[in-house]
Amino acid sequence: MPLTLYVDAAAWHEHLKARVAEDPQLVPVAKGNGYGFTVPLLARTAAGLGVERIAVGSVHDAAAGLPEFPGAVLV
């Protein structure tokens, strides 16, 4: 049975901004297919939040995220 996920992008981004405002040292995690969002999209989203680093699950995820994120990428 297929599953379709619909995301309220504005609400999602507001939630992310609020979490980063609460904890500026927050380290977002992007791994695998990013629950369908993809690691590159999650890396770009994290970059837009102004966080200094992201964590990924593998060297393959790092390779996908590095071009999209200007900060540190932790494996």
Side-chain angles (χ1 to χ4, degrees):
M1 171 201 252
L3 172 71
T4 302
L5 174 67
Y6 296 94
V7 176
D8 180 339
W12 181 53
H13 287 280
E14 287 305 314
H15 170 76
L16 295 174
K17 289 177 194 173
R19 297 295 70 81
V20 171
E22 281 180 14
D23 183 3
Q25 297 302 311
L26 180 88
V27 179
V29 177
K31 62 180 205 150
N33 75 355
Y35 297 101
F37 290 105
T38 74
V39 170
L41 174 68
L42 294 175
R44 283 192 303 273
T45 301
L49 293 169
V51 296
E52 295 180 8
R53 65 191 64 82
I54 62 172
V56 296
S58 71
V59 295
H60 302 290
D61 294 338
L66 278 170
E68 307 297 333
F69 189 76
V73 177
L74 312 172
V75 179

